[in-house]
Amino acid sequence: MKISFLPKAPAAPKLLVCVLTLGEALPHAAAALDKASGGRISQAMKAQKFTGKRDQTLDVLAPTKACDRVILVGAGEAGKLTPREWELTGGQIAGLLAAAKASEAVVEMAAGGAEAAAIASGARLRNYQFTKYKSKKPESAPLLQALEVVTPEATKAKAAFAALDAVAEGVHMARDLVNEPANILFPEEFARRAKALAKAGLKVEVLTPAEMKKLGMGALLGVAQGSAFEPRLVVLRWEGGKKGEAPVAFVGKGVTFDTGGVSIKPAAGMEDMKGDMGGAACVTGLMLALARRKARCNVIGAIGLVENAVDGKAQRPGDVVKSMSGQTIAVLNTDAEGRLILADVLWYVQDRFKPKFMVNLATLTGAILVALGKEHAGLFSNNDELSTRLAEAGLATGEKVWRMPLTPEYDKMIDSDIADMKNIGGRFAGSITAAQFLQRFVNKVPWAHLDVAGTAMDSVKSAINQSWASGWGVRLLNKLVADHYEK
Ligand code: BES
Ligand code: MN
Ligand code: ZN
């Protein structure tokens, strides 16, 4: 979609969207149309008691011969609106335009540059469909091709939008990856797509199974051994900060399909397990966003890409594997595979890059859906400052997190009789014991684990997302980096 910002509306728009705050008068182009129509727009506003209250909308058809439609959208009380709320209004506008089957429109507002940019960002985030496998594109709700945003601060809006545009691109990439079926997006193909981000300025390294074996990544490789697809470990690096300054690191679970392995999952709903790489997709989209907006920070993104399949060569319940850290693991359930992969990737990242912090994202447990539903991702951390920063970024972006406990009592639940630990902790506190497992592979470095099983896929529809894949976490982690780790 082409988005432009103009200080003045183009002459005679066919479709005009007008954003009004509470009690605000119609801005220029809308006022001119109202006059030309003999006051039809203001009459309709009175008839429907449209005052600009938040979420109020008014659809005026054919006010004049030249104009097909004016849509008024209420933004709410001026001066009280957050960037997040402007963004939601932008998403709402893109939804209204899709319902009107419009492919281009003019959006007029008296609001300033930052607000106009947020509106455009929301529209861009919403304006997404995954239709590549449909031989006939759906006509019911076409994608917007062009949006002209009219604001008195057009220059400021354009400048502010550049960074938001970069983030939206990252979100869309993450959604694309999660929506892709697993026969198309297997580990090597995922790695290829990550590699292609080199043209955005990222350094991309791809580790092969032989290299991982040399590093001693027995936990990750144990999961991979049942699949016809080879695993990959991808390291993306963005060097936008001072040379030699320690990076921040993001780690993603990238199970391109999770059958459960020999501890196989039930058939119903198993198709959703193509999304079991939502953590890796988020890290990839985030890295693209940071590169596109040239973040002034050194950042590592590492993703463990593996398929968890069933086969004669697959690992069995009861197998013992040795992780890169040297710790041994009894694999009592092959469906608890995410933690096995992350054990090696987390260890590798802290060992090699000595990051300021590590945040990992993983569609790790069904239990987090039981605990938190789809509103919050589970947050587990060894560090209060990092937790607070994540919680604040969550509220600002709407990608909310809720902190859960980590304690020695829960840690005990994964002690094993025959190895250093087992990969399941029993029926209760499933998300917590999974997090305790990960923590055994993290040394002193500040670390947070986000369990995104409820938020990355099959997500709640919102003003800025209608797709099965949400791209959850890209906006959250971008905000974390922007607010605290860029100078
Ligand atoms: N990928 C699943 C978790 C999941 C469930 C993600 C639902 C998204 C939606 C994970 O690998 C898994 O299978 N976890 C098991 C752990 C159990 C065997 C201890 C689970 O949650 O049942
Ligand atoms: Mn599993
Ligand atoms: Zn899984």
Side-chain angles (χ1 to χ4, degrees):
M1 167 168 55
K2 193 174 172 309
I3 295 182
S4 40
F5 297 92
L6 311 167
K8 226 180 127 235
K14 277 263 168 229
L15 202 171
L16 179 69
V17 180
C18 183
V19 183
L20 291 172
T21 55
L22 195 63
E24 195 181 10
L26 291 172
H28 297 102
L33 258 172
D34 187 37
K35 199 165 164 214
S37 71
R40 284 194 189 188
I41 300 171
S42 33
Q43 187 184 346
M45 287 168 76
K46 274 208 202 81
Q48 205 185 274
K49 299 194 170 52
F50 183 95
T51 56
K53 222 161 77 187
R54 189 154 180 81
D55 289 334
Q56 247 188 346
T57 63
L58 174 63
D59 197 353
V60 185
L61 289 175
T64 67
K65 264 256 154 55
C67 178
D68 289 340
R69 192 165 210 155
V70 175
I71 302 175
L72 304 186
V73 178
E77 211 171 323
K80 284 201 177 161
L81 297 166
T82 61
R84 160 87 178 142
E85 285 169 316
W86 286 103
E87 197 164 75
L88 288 172
T89 298
Q92 182 188 11
I93 289 170
L96 293 166
L97 291 171
K101 296 191 176 52
S103 60
E104 47 184 70
V106 178
V107 180
E108 187 188 34
M109 67 194 81
E115 291 76 18
I119 289 255
S121 163
R124 166 110 155 81
L125 286 164
R126 168 71 173 256
N127 197 41
Y128 171 89
Q129 283 169 356
F130 188 76
T131 52
K132 67 191 277 199
Y133 300 112
K134 283 190 179 288
S135 17
K136 269 185 68 202
K137 302 296 168 219
E139 281 159 24
S140 55
L143 282 179
L144 269 174
Q145 300 302 323
L147 199 63
E148 296 185 307
V149 182
V150 181
T151 158
E153 297 182 348
T155 313
K156 201 174 146 199
K158 189 175 176 212
F161 181 65
L164 301 175
D165 197 23
V167 176
E169 188 182 348
V171 172
H172 284 187
M173 177 174 196
R175 286 180 193 166
D176 277 346
L177 290 166
V178 173
N179 279 324
E180 270 305 354
N183 61 328
I184 306 289
L185 193 76
F186 44 89
E188 261 185 280
E189 171 60 19
F190 196 137
R192 258 196 292 282
R193 294 190 190 188
K195 194 118 212 199
L197 299 184
K199 46 174 202 327
L202 292 165
K203 290 192 179 146
V204 190
E205 267 174 84
V206 180
L207 274 65
T208 61
E211 291 167 306
M212 291 187 257
K213 191 159 178 215
K214 233 168 142 183
L215 288 162
M217 296 187 171
L220 184 154
L221 290 169
V223 178
Q225 78 192 30
S227 173
F229 297 120
E230 284 187 357
R232 291 288 184 270
L233 196 168
V234 178
V235 179
L236 301 139
R237 309 171 68 157
W238 171 250
E239 290 167 353
K242 282 206 207 83
K243 216 181 145 112
E245 187 173 348
V248 300
F250 299 98
V251 172
K253 168 181 174 183
V255 173
T256 58
F257 194 80
D258 183 10
T259 67
V262 171
S263 316
I264 197 163
K265 286 185 180 296
M270 202 204 279
E271 66 276 11
D272 279 1
M273 286 303 117
K274 72 172 185 178
D276 207 17
M277 28 55 71
C282 171
V283 170
T284 309
L286 171 70
M287 295 304 288
L288 173 59
L290 295 174
R292 281 275 193 261
R293 70 169 184 78
K294 303 221 178 315
R296 290 185 311 259
C297 182
N298 296 332
V299 189
I300 301 291
I303 55 180
L305 302 170
V306 181
E307 183 182 62
N308 188 24
V310 206
D311 184 78
K313 293 204 193 81
Q315 69 180 344
R316 293 144 293 263
D319 283 5
V320 173
V321 295
K322 187 167 181 180
S323 66
M324 182 182 172
S325 72
Q327 301 174 94
T328 57
I329 304 159
V331 180
L332 299 195
N333 189 318
T334 65
D335 197 12
E337 84 296 342
R339 63 198 75 180
L340 297 169
I341 295 160
L342 289 172
D344 279 337
V345 183
L346 285 168
W347 188 268
Y348 175 74
V349 168
Q350 84 184 340
D351 193 48
R352 177 171 168 201
F353 297 107
K354 315 277 184 287
K356 281 187 191 154
F357 70 71
M358 292 197 289
V359 173
N360 77 257
L361 300 100
T363 47
L364 203 64
T365 64
I368 203 68
L369 273 143
V370 178
L372 298 176
K374 298 181 173 199
E375 277 309 310
H376 292 85
L379 161 66
F380 301 83
S381 180
N382 61 4
N383 187 280
D384 292 343
E385 182 183 62
L386 182 58
S387 296
T388 305
R389 289 176 174 183
L390 281 163
E392 285 170 359
L395 289 176
T397 57
E399 296 182 336
K400 301 188 291 301
V401 299
W402 197 264
R403 192 166 181 187
M404 306 272 285
L406 288 169
T407 72
E409 295 77 19
Y410 291 115
D411 186 64
K412 251 175 130 85
M413 291 167 75
I414 55 169
D415 285 340
S416 159
D417 291 341
I418 80 154
D420 296 331
M421 69 196 85
K422 53 190 179 187
N423 76 330
I424 49 172
R427 206 157 88 77
F428 302 121
S431 302
I432 303 174
T433 50
Q436 294 288 169
F437 184 97
L438 298 182
Q439 194 175 23
R440 291 195 182 199
F441 298 87
V442 174
N443 293 330
K444 284 272 169 302
V445 57
W447 157 79
H449 152 54
L450 300 175
D451 194 333
V452 297
T455 53
M457 60 169 116
D458 194 16
S459 26
V460 202
K461 306 269 180 289
S462 75
I464 57 165
N465 184 47
Q466 298 282 305
S467 177
W468 184 77
S470 59
W472 193 97
V474 174
R475 292 163 59 253
L476 168 76
L477 298 176
N478 172 69
K479 180 93 177 130
L480 173 75
V481 171
D483 284 354
H484 300 288
Y485 301 95
E486 292 185 64
K487 259 138 263 149

